[in-house]
Amino acid sequence: MRVAAVVVASLLAASPAAAYSISAQSLGFQDSNSLGTVESGNVVGDASGNLIDGHARTSGESGGLEGYMLVHIVDYFAAQNSIAIDFLGEKTWTSSILERFDDFVLDPGATELVLRVHVTSTDESDLAIAPSQGFDNGYARAHVRARVTFHNMNPHVVGDIDGLAAADRSLPLEWTTSGLDGVSPAGYGSTSAGPGFGTAEIRIPASEVDGDDYLLVSGKLYGEVRGGHWNGAFAKSQLSGGSMSFEIVGGDGVPLNPIFLSVPEPDGSLLGEVAMAGVGFLAYSRSQAKVARRRRKEADSVARRAASRRRAKFIG
């Protein structure tokens, strides 16, 4: 058994095809296929005290996910007549990670490959209730998504296997699971979700795993808010201290970008030099292992063809 997880709490990988990406979007955005951390945020307001405040941060190095968006309408008359700032429209935020793994190799004696992703966060969303039912109250929503998709390149097996764990909240209601969650095809794993968390697990028989298969793993926190149409309205979507972790049991897969595997981070000025030295070694080791596996596969293929030719010659 091998666990490649907290190792990949990062879940990243750089690729032109967006096989690795991290994103932080709020009032502004920052996306990257190479950075370890992205962050975006801003605060805007007017002389009447109306306020919009948004922030999101995503760390591929630690698997960190978090963000919020709040709208506070102090003076509704000023807000609805504002030309420079749209205080009354919907505002959104997102924090997300996507990673790809290739070259799966089963452990000796393994009967299946287990792939599990977990996303969790603390819900700090808030919504002020209007003083009268006749007022538009606005809304605050929060969402958690954990997804793992195994792309099986072998034509004789089931094909793609997808697991999605989804949880949603719209204040003042409690968290609910989404109708989108579950594992497809049925029988290949399970999902669970609840207040601020989601876990997706898929289990693939050893006979259906091949080195040409690849895996996409993703975690996402996001939310939407719209302020109420009355003086003092307040709406906030916020998921704090979120994290994404991933593990492989029964084998190993190689992330396309090993730079953000969990290398211990030295303190202070040593961080860049020492951490990058460790990162370089990790990247080199994994790339060499990848080449070795491919060479073994090629050698096995040549040997099988040669044996087939010898049998054919003998029979003839």
Side-chain angles (χ1 to χ4, degrees):
M1 177 186 297
R2 185 177 307 163
V3 176
V6 190
V7 165
V8 281
S10 55
L11 300 177
L12 330 178
S15 157
Y20 154 64
S21 66
I22 55 178
S23 177
Q25 303 179 25
S26 57
L27 296 179
F29 66 92
Q30 186 180 19
D31 303 332
S32 180
N33 292 330
S34 59
L35 295 175
T37 300
V38 291
E39 193 166 4
S40 176
N42 204 352
V43 179
V44 294
D46 65 8
S48 299
N50 296 311
L51 179 71
I52 302 172
D53 181 6
H55 184 265
R57 186 176 189 274
T58 305
S59 173
E61 295 166 317
S62 66
L65 300 159
E66 62 181 2
Y68 69 85
M69 181 69 70
L70 71 83
V71 177
H72 190 189
I73 305 299
V74 175
D75 185 334
Y76 174 61
F77 178 80
Q80 68 177 324
N81 288 289
S82 172
I83 298 176
I85 305 170
D86 179 10
F87 288 103
L88 302 180
E90 181 180 87
K91 304 293 183 294
T92 64
W93 68 271
T94 300
S95 175
S96 64
I97 297 173
L98 171 68
E99 162 74 298
R100 171 170 166 160
F101 290 82
D102 283 320
D103 298 318
F104 281 94
V105 177
L106 291 166
D107 288 337
T111 59
E112 65 178 359
L113 187 66
V114 182
L115 307 167
R116 185 183 302 116
V117 60
H118 180 65
V119 176
T120 186
S121 62
T122 300
D123 182 17
E124 298 185 32
S125 303
D126 194 10
L127 179 68
I129 303 302
S132 169
Q133 291 185 354
F135 294 160
D136 182 339
N137 203 56
Y139 52 79
R141 303 170 185 148
H143 314 277
V144 175
R145 298 288 186 268
R147 187 165 207 154
V148 53
T149 304
F150 191 79
H151 292 270
N152 206 317
M153 306 303 288
N154 241 325
H156 70 279
V157 296
V158 69
D160 292 353
I161 302 168
D162 181 71
L164 170 65
D168 305 283
R169 187 185 186 195
S170 181
L171 273 68
L173 303 177
E174 294 303 315
W175 285 86
T176 61
T177 55
S178 170
L180 301 173
D181 58 349
V183 174
S184 178
Y188 278 84
S190 61
T191 63
S192 62
F197 79 88
T199 301
E201 175 185 284
I202 59 177
R203 294 175 170 267
I204 307 160
S207 61
E208 298 182 18
V209 177
D210 186 85
D212 292 330
D213 301 335
Y214 68 94
L215 173 74
L216 294 179
V217 183
S218 64
K220 183 178 181 180
L221 304 179
Y222 66 104
E224 310 94 12
V225 294
R226 182 174 64 75
H229 293 185
W230 46 281
N231 291 344
F234 182 88
K236 178 177 70 170
S237 168
Q238 180 170 3
L239 296 175
S240 300
S243 66
M244 173 180 174
S245 60
F246 172 66
E247 61 182 330
I248 301 175
V249 181
D252 191 20
V254 180
L256 290 193
N257 186 352
I259 289 179
F260 301 109
L261 298 183
S262 61
V263 180
E265 296 185 357
D267 293 331
S269 61
L270 292 177
L271 174 61
E273 199 170 316
V274 178
M276 287 310 296
V279 161
F281 176 75
L282 264 174
Y284 176 77
S285 300
R286 287 182 174 272
S287 67
Q288 293 301 101
K290 188 173 180 179
V291 170
R293 282 195 294 272
R294 285 179 175 167
R295 286 176 176 170
R296 283 198 299 271
K297 288 178 66 177
E298 291 170 359
D300 290 344
S301 178
V302 170
R304 285 194 297 270
R305 288 198 297 268
S308 178
R309 285 195 295 270
R310 286 195 297 272
R311 285 195 298 271
K313 184 176 179 181
F314 176 77
I315 292 171

